[in-house]
Amino acid sequence: MALQEGMGPIVDRSKEHLGTSDRAIIAMRQLLLEALDASERGETPRTRSGNLPPVRAVDKMVPLDIPWREALGDELLAKF
């Protein structure tokens, strides 16, 4: 399905107004632009194996009586 669907027209992102809750979007766009610039200069972009931490999202319910680090102990380990 992903190969058959387009993402639609390219949007002019210079017109949008991102706020503090959009910090992850801002950071990701900065990393992508930095990677493009590095590639154009013939350099290797920063990668997960380089100096970026292995961060991923987790969606779990944590009981109130258990500390979150204990409840999510398995999720705190890298799985790649």
Side-chain angles (χ1 to χ4, degrees), residues 47-60:
T47 64
R48 175 176 280 188
S49 61
N51 54 2
L52 294 177
V55 177
R56 59 187 167 75
V58 174
D59 184 15
K60 298 249 179 165

Side-chain angles (χ1 to χ4, degrees), residues 24-39 45-46 52:
I25 294 169
I26 295 166
M28 188 64 213
R29 288 180 184 170
Q30 288 173 340
L31 287 172
L32 289 171
L33 290 171
E34 180 185 302
L36 285 172
D37 291 339
S39 293
R46 291 193 299 165
L52 294 177

